[in-house]
Every structure is written in structure tokens, then in C-alpha cells.
Amino acid sequence: MSGVMVKTGLYGLLRILPGLGQPSAGWGWLLVWTGLGSALLGILLALAQRDLKRLLAYSTVENVGIACLGMGLGV
């Protein structure tokens, strides 16, 4: 359930951004680097986990990072 709540924030961002006009390239690069860092950190931390709940939490961090990376590339 918490994974759905995290992705709801990304959905809200996708709904609001078109209404704000054309964003600058700096915002796109910020999303790319934030997403890339989040995805890599989530992967590395998930690889070292033995606890299933923490593994799923880090997997959610990685998935959100990939989504931010895609949004940044779209901008």
C-alpha cells in the first residue's frame, strides 16, 4: 500500500507540471540526476538486505528513481 502512496506524489507532479508552462532545462536535469541517484542508491542498498520489508522499501525507492529519471528525460 505504501508503494502506491509514493507513486501518487509522482502522478500529482505529472498532472501539475503541464499547467505551469514550459519548464527550463535545469529542472529536467535536476530530475534526471535526482532519479539516477535514487535508483542507484536503492539498488545498492537492496542488494545488501536480508530483511524482506527493507528490501521492498529499497525497491520502491529504486522504482521512484527510475520514474523521476524518465520524467527528467521527458522535460
Side-chain angles (χ1 to χ4, degrees):
M1 183 68 149
S2 65
V4 173
M5 293 303 293
V6 170
K7 292 173 188 154
T8 303
L10 289 175
Y11 176 72
L13 196 61
L14 280 173
R15 294 289 295 192
I16 290 174
L17 282 178
L20 296 177
Q22 181 66 30
S24 67
W27 287 107
W29 283 111
L30 179 69
L31 281 172
V32 165
W33 288 112
T34 303
L36 188 63
S38 176
L40 289 176
L41 187 66
I43 290 170
L44 291 175
L45 291 173
L47 286 174
Q49 283 304 312
R50 301 255 186 246
D51 183 24
L52 184 61
K53 286 184 181 181
R54 286 181 188 240
L55 177 85
L56 291 173
Y58 289 134
S59 174
T60 300
V61 169
E62 182 252 341
N63 286 330
V64 169
I66 291 172
C68 276
L69 181 66
M71 285 173 38
L73 290 174
V75 167

